[in-house]
Amino acid sequence: MSEDKKGYLASGNQKKVTTHRLLEMKQQGEKISMLTAYDYSMASVIDQAGVDVILVGDSASNVMVGNTTTLPMTVDQMIYHGKSVMNAVKRAMVVVDMPFGSYQGNPYEAVTNAVKMMKETQADCLKLEGGKEVLESIRAILNAGIPVMGHLGLMPQSINKYGTYAVRAKEEEEAGKLMEDARLLQEVGCCAVVLEKIPAALAAKVSSELNIPMIGIGAGPYVDGQVLVMHDMLGLNKGFSPRFLRRYANLFDEVTSAVQQYITDVKSSEFPSVEESY
Ligand code: KIV
């Protein structure tokens, strides 16, 4: 990160967020804020607002493209979104999702795709879904010097295996596997783990037993940070209302009324005015 990419936040908290900083935040009990972004403009806003981590999630498949799952995303599409976000971000740590099929095959393929994604996006970290099953891929990526964030609990890339987006790890056996997977991810060297849609008590246990940060989405308050999909928390998506989602704005209605006012002004020749003309 060049010097001119630092030091522009009004809040005074200017320092680039790194994997080391995430660990420090956990040790100091400071919660980590994380949001998704997929494009330059939105990434610029949320970086300047001071979010700690920006996730270029493969949820781009749902919110940007309109697919029903994350599975169709490709390495090149994730690179396109990753580059767009990196062009804007100066302070936040940028994590890019490795898409379905790019790391599950074997460690060689995984590291080849990971290196390509890092070279072409210049992101700070990659995120992969899964524990023991993909551990060798994660190890190979880490051995190449690339930081990795894990993702356990509900893993949207495996939706066809689960058949439902219901809460995961409610039963003892699955909860035990999740705890074991989290330990493996820590041991292999992951910098943090996303815990998606699991009981709050289990998320609390994992967070307290492990040293690396656990970042929750639908995992209750007793974790080291929270992540939400930007479009959902801004209220751009009316049809998606899981219990864990808090809407901080109602942009669907605000954008609708702005667009309707624009249409009215164009049709009535209210826009443009003399002052808005050359
Ligand atoms: O793709 C994504 O946006 C994610 C979050 C839901 C954590 O993985």
Side-chain angles (χ1 to χ4, degrees), residues 58 97-98 100 103-104 126-139 142 148-158 161-162 177-178 180-186 188 190 192-196 212:
D58 59 358
D97 265 343
M98 290 194 74
F100 174 66
Y103 58 92
Q104 292 91 344
L126 299 176
K127 178 164 81 60
L128 282 73
E129 295 180 8
K132 194 171 175 205
E133 302 77 9
V134 292
L135 202 65
E136 289 319 309
S137 290
I138 293 177
R139 199 191 305 277
L142 286 161
V148 173
M149 185 177 281
H151 184 149
L152 298 172
L154 178 66
M155 294 176 278
Q157 292 179 11
S158 300
K161 188 170 91 182
Y162 305 138
K177 175 171 169 19
L178 188 143
E180 185 51 31
D181 280 341
R183 279 211 186 89
L184 289 172
L185 294 179
Q186 170 168 292
V188 79
C190 286
V193 178
V194 166
L195 296 177
E196 180 163 356
I212 58 171

Side-chain angles (χ1 to χ4, degrees), residues 59-84:
S59 51
S61 182
N62 309 97
V63 298
M64 302 299 287
V65 190
N67 293 320
T68 52
T69 74
T70 58
L71 274 68
M73 291 307 280
T74 65
V75 166
D76 285 333
Q77 285 167 335
M78 292 309 300
I79 288 173
Y80 171 82
H81 289 294
K83 261 191 203 165
S84 310

Side-chain angles (χ1 to χ4, degrees), residues 247-260:
R247 289 203 174 90
Y248 287 85
N250 189 353
L251 286 199
F252 189 97
D253 288 345
E254 281 193 41
V255 173
T256 301
S257 78
V259 171
Q260 286 173 339

